[in-house]
Amino acid sequence: MMEPCPTLQRIMLVEDEEDIRAVAELALEAVGGFTLKSCASGQAALDNLDAFAPQLLLLDVMMPGMDGPSTLRAIRQNPQFAGIPAIFITAKVQPEEIQGYLAQGAAAVIPKPFDPMQLPGKVEAIWQELKHSP
């Protein structure tokens, strides 16, 4: 018998572009009903990690300073978040690029530009798939 899937509630969004961050916030909070902590940089994500305790990360790949993969590595050094699932958001979605993101620890990749009305459903579908995979 399959265990019930924990409900996804807390998502940390790390995106340096203000316009994209605003659209994603609106989509995930107003449309998706998620509780969101939005961060403009990898360092801001690290600074808010313990207080927010996200269940899932949405990480922009290309950010100045600490990029998405570097942010994910730094977050996973915290034992409490060593296994936290991460979805990379990026415009660079050639098959070899996606394979590279998955090899760096991403659970999935959502291409930019994304449809804000579909973003919550995509995130929820990825969450369900992750929680039901062995």
Side-chain angles (χ1 to χ4, degrees), residues 5-13 24 27-29 32 34-36 55-59 85-89 107-110 114-131:
C5 182
T7 303
L8 176 60
Q9 297 173 325
R10 294 179 320 282
I11 299 172
M12 179 174 276
L13 169 69
L28 293 167
E29 289 179 322
F34 298 111
T35 300
L36 193 71
Q55 296 171 282
L56 178 75
L57 303 169
L58 281 178
L59 297 168
I87 300 171
F88 283 173
I89 303 173
V109 176
I110 293 179
F114 53 82
D115 180 337
M117 296 307 289
Q118 293 185 359
L119 182 62
K122 283 185 179 182
V123 169
E124 182 65 34
I126 292 168
W127 175 259
Q128 293 294 327
E129 186 177 312
L130 289 171
K131 294 303 165 187

Side-chain angles (χ1 to χ4, degrees), residues 24-90:
E25 286 172 4
L26 183 64
L28 293 167
E29 289 179 322
V31 178
F34 298 111
T35 300
L36 193 71
K37 179 64 182 175
S38 188
C39 300
S41 69
Q43 186 58 54
L46 292 171
D47 293 344
N48 289 285
L49 192 62
D50 287 324
F52 184 65
Q55 296 171 282
L56 178 75
L57 303 169
L58 281 178
L59 297 168
D60 181 20
V61 170
M62 295 176 50
M63 297 185 288
M66 188 182 295
D67 65 8
S70 298
T71 301
L72 180 58
R73 281 192 299 276
I75 287 172
R76 287 187 170 165
Q77 287 181 358
N78 180 332
Q80 183 180 349
F81 301 101
I84 189 168
I87 300 171
F88 283 173
I89 303 173
T90 182

